[in-house]
Amino acid sequence: MSLPLIPLLPLLGAIIPPLFQSRNANAISAGVIAALSLLLLLLHAPAVFSGEMPLVSWSWVPAIGLNFAFRVSGFGFFFAFLILFIGLLIILYARYYISAEDPMGRFYSYLLLFMGSMLGIVLSENLILLVMFWELTSISSFLLIGFWSYRTDAREGARMALVITGAGGLAMLAGFILLGNMVGSFELTDVLAAKDIVHAHPLYPVMLILVLLGAFTKSAQFPFQFWLPHAMAAPTPVSAYLHSATMVKAGVFLLALLFPVLSGSSLWFYIVTPVGLATLMFAAYMAIFKDDLKGLLAYSTVSHLGLITLLLGLGSPLAAFTAVFHILNHATFKAGLFMLAGIIDHETGTRDMKKLAGLWKYMPITGTLVMVGCASMAGVPLFNGFLSKEMFLAETLEPNLFGAASWIVPLGATLAAIFAVAYSIRMVHDVFFNGEAQDLPKKPHEPPHGMRLPSEILMVLCVAVGLFPALLAGPIVNVAAGSILGADLPDYHIAIWHGFNMALALSVIALIGGAALYFFKSKAFDAHTWFYAHFDGKGNFEAIISALVKSSRWITGTLENGSLQRYLALLVGSALVLGASPFLGSASPFLGTLPMTAIDPVTLVMALVLVVATVATVLTHHNRIVSLLMLSTVGLLVSLAFVRFSAPDLALTQISVEVVTIILLLMALHMLPRTTPQESTPARRWRDITIAGLSGAGIAALMMAFFTRPYDTIATYFLENSKPLGGGTNVVNVILVDFRGFDTLGEIAVLGIAGLGIYAMLHGLELKAPRTDAFGRFWSSDRFPVILASITRPLLPLALLFSFYIFLRGHNEPGGGFIAGLITATVLILQYIASGIVWTRPRLNFDNHIIMAWGLLIAVLTGLGSWVVGYPFLTSSFTYLTWPLVGTFEVASAIAFDIGVYLTVIGSVLLILVKLGSMNSPDAMTVSTAAMEQEKGKRSN
């Protein structure tokens, strides 16, 4: 049970650091959360190191194969340990690095969110769950990279990272869907055991490319390498974490995780290996010429990720073992070097190597630590980086990798190693020696020991692992690689010395060549200036984005010119073309074999009146009252059509909605201009008539083609189970509050949001109602006729009683909460219309916002109540009670949900109509003033 808490603790604990004002409390709270997660992980260490794999799983959305499932494999434990261990060091380092002006609580919140997301990736057992955490890392890294949002480079870097990794994540999701369908399961345990099934599937190439796109974009592999260096606009603690153990390692983690099922094919080899080699060489070359310390380290990271990708692409067990070992070594020295680069920036005011020089006399301890990290990064013997680099060079010497061109891989690897030595020497020499610095923003000095402590720990590990690799790194690397390779784990012992061999010779060549390249680098810098001017990844990305924006503006300007007629013409015309296309050229007969229902005289007359009323609505649009009456006639006839075809619930709903709509339109039309805008040209009228006529004929034809053919319907299921499962004989109402209750909950939520939105738009809006009608006649001075008020006031209790009756009968007879709510809202708004707001508001003194909120809350609590007793959300139940005089009657829990629907409808409709009717009304101002005076009187008492 503790396994899911490992990723969930940082995710849920992300809300805690911002609660404190103290910087120390921010750091301590974040550190405690990460430490607790690490402790929970270590509790599983005995099982993992004994070869077991703890696993927990709960069904979540079984229909799509999504389970809330986690596992701790050896590789997952290895990665989770790196994430949490280095994360703790980053938390300590950030306490000293982040300035007092920055919101430290928010920074730690983002960091914990990112930490939890990464832990979710490495511990997920379900592929769909893994994708969810994968995308969460993209979002949280966007927040971290753009933490200094006032800086343009931070915003651009964050946006670039989100676009590239987010797009890759979508491709990966598509690949995972294909992979899960190939195997028949989205559980990793099943997927990793189905290599033969996956490789034999015809969609294996498509799936592989999609998954690799996700991995390559996340780990900044060529040609997507350009986004990562521009993420250096983030604070240094973020850069150290992203580059060492988290986000950019997620891609190579995925390649290693799926290595057992995806590798072994020629397609895997010929895609992954060249991409890794190109990234390794290109990024190592670019790192030499970076003047920014973090830029140099960023390209170095990209290069080392290419090295790991290349190893996994080679496909041999020992190459995969080496990849795991290098992940550990790279995380150690790269996190430390990034923190040391941040220290130099923090204590000198710059990280530009053209300005930095001679810092050894001011920062000797920091300089020593940088030398250790750079020696490991360059692959100097007796440091941990040398061990995995030599193993890597040995793997590139494997014969027949590319046939006659097999020399390309070791040559490229050696060149990249030479570049690594050169940029490592440059980082040490240009910063700590190379003369004396001039005009630094700050006087250099050593940082506080707490700031330097995390990098000291990591540099000690670089030396310790380099001297005692089998003791310190061997066990965890064997466990991690063993969970990937299984029985194919090579019998290899990590050691300092493997004798004189070709790999050692290449290492020596790299050390000598790198030193020579650095000390004769002036010509290389000139060549690079020309190269970089023609191959700028950021420039290309920005050019593509700019072209997309310009194209979007042109398309938008062409289609959206402000004409509603054009919008409707395009929408309806497109639907017409798409709807007609399947029938064009089809060999099937247009009509099916089922006979059509005979037309009776009543239906024919109703249809003709409906057509006449519809045409009259359009022709009389100048006279709004007449047009509105024609429109209400159309609504009434539609209601009668529902009655004709035995749909009384729909008829009641339609007639209730029709009344509310007419009231709404009357209020709105009163505020609109009296003159009609410019009429359409004859050509446009004929266009609109043609589209409308064809669309109507098309819908009629589609219905005829559909209903004259045999078809299966789910209505039978609802008719048979409405009473046994839902406890009601009104099938429509049982569907709304039981079978499809979740849909209804969403619909009333949308209704509530619409009500709030309309209220917000109308609030404060200045609209002056005209003083005369269309013919220049002044409105009657008798705004509230006595006869109308005398009718509506006594009608109120009767109408409320009727709506209550409609509500109660809804489960077994036509009615229900929605219809009852519309009836109640209508009779209440009639009081405002008949008697005015001055008379009505004090007597109906309730807040419509509160009514709507209570409705939604009751509906949600009804659903949660079924959870409490162990049933799915919104599961209803019913029983029968027997009362004296009343007799036996049914009580269903769905009635509580229907109460929520009832209140939401009342609150939303009244919120809209009362606000619209009281806009700029002197009576409304009078009522508001009186209410304020009354409230002041209560407070004074």
Side-chain angles (χ1 to χ4, degrees):
M1 292 296 292
S2 64
L3 177 50
L5 292 178
I6 298 173
L8 292 181
L9 266 179
L11 286 174
L12 299 177
I15 64 174
I16 295 177
L19 301 178
F20 301 102
Q21 298 298 321
S22 167
R23 292 162 55 82
N24 288 332
N26 296 146
I28 291 171
S29 60
V32 168
I33 292 168
L36 287 174
S37 191
L38 178 59
L39 177 63
L40 291 175
L41 177 70
L42 293 176
L43 292 177
H44 296 283
V48 172
F49 279 84
S50 63
E52 300 176 17
M53 188 183 70
L55 187 150
V56 294
S57 178
W58 292 276
S59 180
W60 189 1
V61 189
I64 62 171
L66 174 58
N67 295 322
F68 194 68
F70 297 92
R71 67 182 200 153
V72 185
S73 64
F75 190 52
F77 178 89
F78 165 79
F79 240 99
F81 180 79
L82 285 179
I83 293 166
L84 289 167
F85 175 69
I86 295 180
L88 278 169
L89 297 179
I90 295 295
I91 289 171
L92 173 60
Y93 176 78
R95 163 60 185 83
Y96 295 92
Y97 183 88
I98 300 297
S99 69
E101 290 76 22
D102 292 323
M104 183 172 283
R106 191 175 73 190
F107 174 82
Y108 281 124
S109 178
Y110 293 166
L111 193 69
L112 288 175
L113 179 64
F114 186 68
M115 180 186 294
S117 306
M118 276 302 303
L119 289 170
I121 289 176
V122 302
L123 298 177
S124 289
E125 159 69 1
N126 184 274
L127 288 177
I128 306 298
L129 185 65
L130 189 152
V131 173
M132 294 171 63
F133 285 114
W134 186 279
E135 292 304 308
L136 196 54
T137 61
S138 295
I139 295 171
S140 52
S141 65
F142 171 81
L143 297 173
L144 285 169
I145 295 169
F147 180 73
W148 286 329
S149 56
Y150 53 86
R151 289 172 42 177
T152 303
D153 59 342
R155 297 194 301 271
E156 290 178 349
R159 185 178 68 244
M160 189 184 301
L162 182 64
V163 169
I164 299 299
T165 60
L170 290 175
M172 187 187 75
L173 172 61
F176 278 180
I177 292 173
L178 291 176
L179 180 59
N181 282 288
M182 291 176 188
V183 178
S185 170
F186 289 97
E187 302 303 296
L188 264 173
T189 304
D190 300 328
V191 170
L192 296 179
K195 181 175 182 176
D196 293 338
I197 297 174
V198 172
H199 281 243
H201 200 281
L203 291 177
Y204 167 75
V206 178
M207 178 274 299
L208 179 63
I209 291 172
L210 290 171
V211 172
L212 290 180
L213 278 174
F216 290 164
T217 52
K218 203 74 161 183
S219 283
Q221 295 300 285
F222 185 85
F224 308 106
Q225 78 292 334
F226 56 86
W227 73 262
L228 186 56
H230 294 285
M232 292 303 96
T236 298
V238 175
S239 303
Y241 202 34
L242 260 66
H243 285 245
S244 60
T246 52
M247 182 175 174
V248 296
K249 289 284 176 62
V252 293
F253 167 83
L254 184 68
L255 293 178
L257 179 71
L258 298 180
F259 184 85
V261 65
L262 298 184
S263 68
S265 67
S266 57
L267 186 62
W268 166 277
F269 176 82
Y270 284 111
I271 293 178
V272 179
T273 303
V275 167
L277 181 61
T279 307
L280 168 68
M281 295 178 61
F282 174 78
Y285 165 82
M286 292 293 294
I288 301 174
F289 305 99
K290 287 296 159 184
D291 297 317
D292 181 5
L293 279 173
K294 286 175 64 175
L296 182 152
L297 293 173
Y299 273 104
S300 167
T301 295
V302 176
S303 178
H304 282 271
L305 292 172
L307 184 155
I308 297 168
T309 301
L310 171 57
L311 283 167
L312 293 170
L314 294 177
S316 68
L318 188 53
F321 181 90
T322 305
V324 173
F325 186 31
H326 194 70
I327 289 172
L328 173 64
N329 291 335
H330 178 260
T332 308
F333 65 71
K334 190 53 64 68
L337 283 173
F338 262 108
M339 286 188 273
L340 291 167
I343 287 173
I344 294 169
D345 183 21
H346 195 270
E347 306 307 333
T348 65
T350 183
R351 56 176 192 258
D352 188 348
M353 285 190 287
K354 291 186 292 186
K355 298 179 181 179
L356 294 167
L359 294 186
W360 178 259
K361 67 169 71 174
Y362 305 105
M363 307 173 69
I365 300 176
T366 301
T368 302
L369 295 173
V370 170
M371 289 180 188
V372 172
C374 286
S376 183
M377 183 166 63
V380 176
L382 302 183
F383 295 93
N384 63 343
F386 167 76
L387 301 173
S388 51
K389 186 190 76 170
E390 189 178 29
M391 294 170 65
F392 159 68
L393 291 172
E395 285 302 300
T396 63
L397 293 169
E398 185 70 23
N400 299 322
L401 286 177
F402 286 99
S406 296
W407 55 270
I408 293 176
V409 178
L411 175 62
T414 304
L415 285 173
I418 291 172
F419 297 152
V421 173
Y423 63 67
S424 299
I425 294 175
R426 186 184 179 209
M427 183 171 179
V428 173
H429 185 262
D430 285 14
V431 174
F432 292 96
F433 304 100
N434 200 29
E436 186 72 24
Q438 301 292 330
D439 300 325
L440 290 178
K442 296 181 182 179
K443 184 177 180 180
H445 58 84
E446 289 286 1
H449 185 253
M451 188 177 189
R452 198 176 58 222
L453 179 61
S455 54
E456 289 175 344
I457 294 172
L458 292 170
M459 293 306 113
V460 167
L461 287 175
C462 288
V463 177
V465 172
L467 295 175
F468 309 103
L471 176 65
L472 298 177
I476 193 168
V477 172
N478 282 318
V479 167
S483 71
I484 298 172
L485 299 172
D488 296 329
L489 181 68
D491 185 17
Y492 186 87
H493 299 284
I494 304 173
I496 300 175
W497 180 250
H498 289 281
F500 292 102
N501 52 37
M502 192 61 185
L504 179 63
L506 293 179
S507 294
V508 173
I509 293 172
L511 291 172
I512 297 172
L517 176 61
Y518 170 73
F519 289 107
F520 295 98
K521 64 180 182 298
S522 57
K523 292 185 179 180
F525 269 78
D526 294 337
H528 170 75
T529 302
W530 177 89
F531 176 82
Y532 191 67
H534 294 80
F535 298 94
D536 180 12
K538 180 177 183 292
N540 295 334
F541 173 82
E542 295 293 349
I544 292 172
I545 294 297
S546 177
L548 289 174
V549 170
K550 289 180 180 178
S551 301
S552 301
R553 285 176 177 169
W554 179 82
I555 294 172
T556 304
T558 303
L559 298 179
E560 296 188 12
N561 65 339
S563 170
L564 294 177
Q565 284 182 314
R566 173 176 291 190
Y567 301 161
L568 285 173
L570 289 172
L571 177 64
V572 177
S574 300
L576 182 63
V577 172
L578 292 174
S581 57
F583 295 94
L584 300 177
S586 175
S588 302
F590 176 70
L591 295 178
T593 57
L594 296 180
M596 290 187 289
T597 305
I599 300 177
D600 59 273
V602 175
T603 304
L604 179 61
V605 171
M606 286 176 55
L608 291 175
V609 174
L610 180 62
V611 171
V612 171
T614 304
V615 174
T617 302
V618 177
L619 295 179
T620 61
H621 70 277
H622 290 286
N623 191 330
R624 292 173 177 172
I625 297 298
V626 176
S627 183
L628 196 59
L629 288 173
M630 293 297 102
L631 183 63
S632 64
T633 304
V634 171
L636 177 62
L637 288 168
V638 171
S639 302
L640 293 175
F642 288 140
V643 174
R644 166 67 180 81
F645 293 105
S646 303
D649 269 285
L650 293 178
L652 279 173
T653 304
Q654 173 66 29
I655 199 68
S656 302
V657 170
E658 196 64 33
V659 172
V660 172
T661 304
I662 294 300
I663 294 173
L664 175 64
L665 290 174
L666 281 170
M667 291 180 174
L669 290 174
H670 182 62
M671 296 290 180
L672 294 179
R674 291 292 177 234
T675 57
T676 303
Q678 182 181 359
E679 296 286 352
S680 301
T681 62
R684 182 173 292 180
R685 287 181 184 176
W686 281 110
R687 180 203 68 181
D688 295 343
I689 290 172
T690 302
I691 293 177
L694 289 175
S695 299
I699 292 296
L702 181 63
M703 293 299 99
M704 291 175 63
F706 181 80
F707 286 113
T708 55
R709 287 174 168 80
Y711 60 91
D712 295 326
T713 174
I714 61 173
T716 305
Y717 171 82
F718 292 123
L719 290 169
E720 293 175 351
N721 292 283
S722 175
K723 182 68 174 177
L725 299 182
T729 56
N730 182 1
V731 181
V732 174
N733 184 264
V734 173
I735 291 173
L736 291 175
V737 300
D738 191 336
F739 292 121
R740 304 295 295 273
F742 199 80
D743 290 353
T744 305
L745 178 62
E747 289 163 5
I748 63 173
V750 170
L751 180 63
I753 293 170
L756 290 173
I758 294 172
Y759 180 89
M761 288 190 293
L762 296 178
H763 188 70
L765 183 64
E766 293 289 339
L767 281 180
K768 298 296 183 182
R771 300 178 62 187
T772 63
D773 64 8
F775 301 100
R777 296 172 297 193
F778 288 95
W779 304 113
S780 171
S781 58
D782 186 11
R783 294 186 297 161
F784 310 114
V786 175
I787 295 177
L788 182 61
S790 300
I791 294 173
T792 56
R793 291 178 189 177
L795 183 64
L796 176 62
L798 296 175
L800 292 178
L801 185 62
F802 177 69
S803 71
F804 187 62
Y805 167 72
I806 290 292
F807 173 80
L808 289 179
R809 76 196 297 263
H811 211 51
N812 293 290
E813 300 291 341
F818 188 81
I819 299 171
L822 288 173
I823 294 172
T824 302
T826 301
V827 297
L828 291 177
I829 204 67
L830 279 175
Q831 303 305 310
Y832 284 93
I833 294 174
S835 301
I837 193 171
V838 175
W839 184 90
T840 309
R841 177 66 62 82
R843 291 165 175 79
L844 300 179
N845 190 20
F846 47 78
D847 191 338
N848 297 317
H849 296 84
I850 302 299
I851 294 176
M852 184 176 63
W854 269 110
L856 288 170
L857 181 62
I858 291 171
V860 172
L861 290 177
T862 306
L864 295 176
S866 57
W867 262 358
V868 173
V869 294
Y871 289 93
F873 186 72
L874 278 175
T875 301
S876 66
S877 180
F878 63 93
T879 187
Y880 293 90
L881 300 178
T882 302
W883 285 1
L885 301 179
V886 177
T888 301
F889 61 95
E890 175 199 328
V891 177
S893 63
I895 195 171
F897 181 77
D898 223 9
I899 290 174
V901 175
Y902 175 74
L903 293 177
T904 305
V905 171
I906 293 174
S908 301
V909 173
L910 287 179
L911 190 66
I912 297 169
L913 295 181
V914 172
K915 185 63 180 177
L916 184 61
S918 60
M919 284 180 61
N920 305 317
S921 169
D923 292 344
M925 296 296 295
T926 302
V927 172
S928 299
T929 304
M932 291 175 62
E933 293 296 332
Q934 186 178 5
E935 185 65 24
K936 287 180 181 179
K938 290 181 179 179
R939 291 179 181 177
S940 61
N941 294 332

